[in-house]
Amino acid sequence: MDLPRSSRLEARLAVLSPTFTTAQARRATISPRDLADLASAGDVDEISRGVYRRVEAPATAHLDLLAVCLRAPRAVVCGESALAIHELIDDIPASVHIAIPRGTHRPSISYPPTTVTQYAAETFSLAIERFEAAPGERVPIYSAARSVVDAMRHRRRFGETLALAALGRYLRRKGASGTCQFDQGS
């Protein structure tokens, strides 16, 4: 006996992570028409072009990070976004800041607003951590130390005040040694 169409869609939707792309939905045999039906029925929300989130998924303050990192899977959260997540600045960035390796395709994302920076391919993968943007959903982000070093190196772009504030807050943290070491992890 065949399951009703809605039950089949719910079963297919259940195999996806709470936040997913159209391509991931297709691999789970959810057609674009079915995805549109799920969105119009209020079962999923489109949070960025081609990126959806199940409505029953746990709430998160980092929906914009999830959307951008799914649209640009090779990117790493950097700059003001990384500094804010590491609580090294009080500012709320106006856009999601991501880094990509120099010489690769530069993503064009209009929503959520995104700032893309290209980093040298040799240093791009230094000091990448995983940040839990929502329960069970992680995005790549540069470490606190790497973020401060980048802010100081690019303080003309970041602003001298922001870079020095991030450095000062990093150094005042309990256990900060004043030296920065990068792991070769990814």
Side-chain angles (χ1 to χ4, degrees):
M1 178 183 195
D2 283 338
L3 291 172
R5 181 173 180 258
S6 63
S7 296
R8 285 193 314 264
L9 280 178
E10 288 174 19
R12 292 175 186 159
L13 192 58
V15 302
L16 294 170
S17 70
T19 311
F20 59 92
T21 64
T22 303
Q24 291 167 333
R26 283 188 188 137
R27 285 192 294 274
T29 66
I30 298 174
S31 71
R33 188 188 75 156
D34 290 338
L35 196 52
D37 289 345
L38 287 166
S40 66
D43 294 326
V44 297
D45 288 324
E46 187 171 19
I47 60 173
S48 184
R49 186 175 55 87
V51 180
Y52 297 85
R53 185 161 174 85
R54 288 187 271 167
V55 294
E56 78 276 358
T60 177
H62 303 290
L63 207 51
D64 53 349
L65 293 178
L66 289 169
V68 169
C69 289
L70 278 171
R71 290 200 50 198
R74 294 184 57 203
V76 177
V77 177
C78 69
E80 288 180 52
S81 296
L83 291 171
I85 288 169
H86 290 300
E87 298 178 354
L88 295 171
I89 60 172
D90 292 327
D91 300 3
I92 298 172
S95 65
V96 176
H97 293 249
I98 58 172
I100 58 167
R102 191 169 292 129
T104 61
H105 171 72
R106 186 181 191 91
S108 176
I109 303 170
S110 59
Y111 186 81
T114 306
T115 302
V116 179
T117 306
Q118 293 184 319
Y119 281 34
E122 306 81 53
T123 61
F124 175 77
S125 62
L126 293 176
I128 297 174
E129 301 175 347
R130 306 291 290 174
F131 171 71
E132 191 170 37
E137 297 181 88
R138 297 183 169 278
V139 296
I141 182 173
Y142 284 125
S143 71
R146 165 81 188 251
S147 298
V148 169
V149 169
D150 289 343
M152 292 304 295
R153 284 181 52 232
H154 302 289
R155 63 184 170 270
R156 287 190 183 149
R157 183 173 8 133
F158 279 82
E160 185 98 17
T161 304
L162 185 124
L164 290 172
L167 175 62
R169 193 173 282 183
Y170 178 78
L171 292 175
R172 282 189 299 276
R173 282 187 172 173
K174 183 178 178 159
S177 64
T179 61
C180 298
Q181 295 182 2
F182 295 129
D183 293 331
Q184 291 286 341
S186 58

